[in-house]
Amino acid sequence: MKFTRTAVVALVAATALGVAGCSPSNQEESTRPSTTAALSAATEPSMADDAEAQLQGAGDIKLEDATVRAKAAADSAEGSDMTAVFGTIHNTSDHDITITGFSTSLGEADYQIHETVDGTMQQKEGGITIPADGSDELAPGGDHLMIMGYAPEIAAGDTVDVFFETSDAEGGEQGIVVQGVAVRSMLPGGEEYGDGGEMTAHEHADSH
């Protein structure tokens, strides 16, 4: 079969166009991730970092959104000698952990784990057991950590280190340490306390 010069030129041009359609630049365009996928890949690590950043502590026990309630000095007009620690305790281990007590970097004070039953705050016997990979919320009206007998001011903007004691002595002699818990101003939690000036059945005459 014979081809004219014009037919040959047309055939070559068509072949060139076909090759161009499969060129690396077009292939790259077709295989490039979508904008949504690219944004998702870019934001996933930062979201994971943010979630991790909310947890304070280097041991098996960590605190999320932890707060020490600010208070005025006990000898001031609206002062008190007690306050509380709130937040969510996370057990990041593969076994249950029971928190039997705690202390803080504030120093000498009366530290107790409390619960609220029928609107009245009382000491929580046996401490707080947190299941493996579980959590327990510390909140006004629920479980919380009480700091009592501490007269000085605890000012908003300060930070306090919290030392947890556990039933199996995890963390050694110092306990499990959570550093830099923020001190913030908070409204009273609405718990009621027993009458009288002394602690009776783990109730208190004053509010925190």
Side-chain angles (χ1 to χ4, degrees):
M1 180 182 294
K2 294 183 180 181
F3 293 93
T4 65
R5 180 180 179 84
T6 302
V8 171
V9 171
L11 180 61
V12 171
T15 304
L17 288 173
V19 171
C22 296
S23 66
S25 60
N26 284 320
Q27 185 176 12
E28 178 183 351
E29 186 68 29
S30 65
T31 58
R32 185 179 299 159
S34 67
T35 302
T36 303
L39 287 174
S40 176
T43 56
E44 283 179 2
S46 62
M47 291 174 64
D49 291 344
D50 289 344
E52 185 66 24
Q54 292 176 359
L55 299 182
Q56 293 176 260
D60 289 337
I61 292 295
K62 293 179 171 62
L63 291 179
E64 179 183 6
D65 297 331
T67 299
V68 176
R69 175 180 284 159
K71 76 173 189 67
D75 58 1
S76 66
E78 298 183 358
S80 173
D81 68 349
M82 64 179 68
T83 189
V85 182
F86 303 111
T88 301
I89 305 176
H90 288 265
N91 175 4
T92 61
S93 76
D94 59 359
H95 57 278
D96 295 356
I97 295 179
T98 298
I99 296 174
T100 56
F102 78 103
S103 60
T104 76
S105 56
L106 293 170
E108 186 174 350
D110 185 11
Y111 297 103
Q112 294 185 8
I113 299 173
H114 281 201
E115 62 183 348
T116 304
V117 178
D118 296 329
T120 300
M121 185 183 71
Q122 63 186 30
Q123 192 165 5
K124 189 177 180 71
E125 300 295 340
I128 300 173
T129 298
I130 307 171
D133 201 28
S135 63
D136 186 84
E137 184 179 11
L138 304 174
D143 292 346
H144 53 278
L145 309 180
M146 281 296 298
I147 303 171
M148 300 178 296
Y150 187 81
E153 176 188 19
I154 304 177
D158 288 349
T159 61
V160 174
D161 298 340
V162 178
F163 310 94
F164 288 106
E165 303 162 12
T166 64
S167 58
D168 53 2
E170 291 205 24
E173 185 175 344
Q174 191 178 22
I176 296 177
V177 183
V178 178
Q179 296 181 323
V181 176
V183 178
R184 298 186 177 95
S185 297
M186 298 178 64
L187 295 174
E191 302 94 338
E192 295 183 1
Y193 301 84
D195 296 329
E198 297 180 356
M199 185 170 68
T200 303
H202 304 301
E203 296 177 349
H204 301 279
D206 204 355
S207 63
H208 63 274

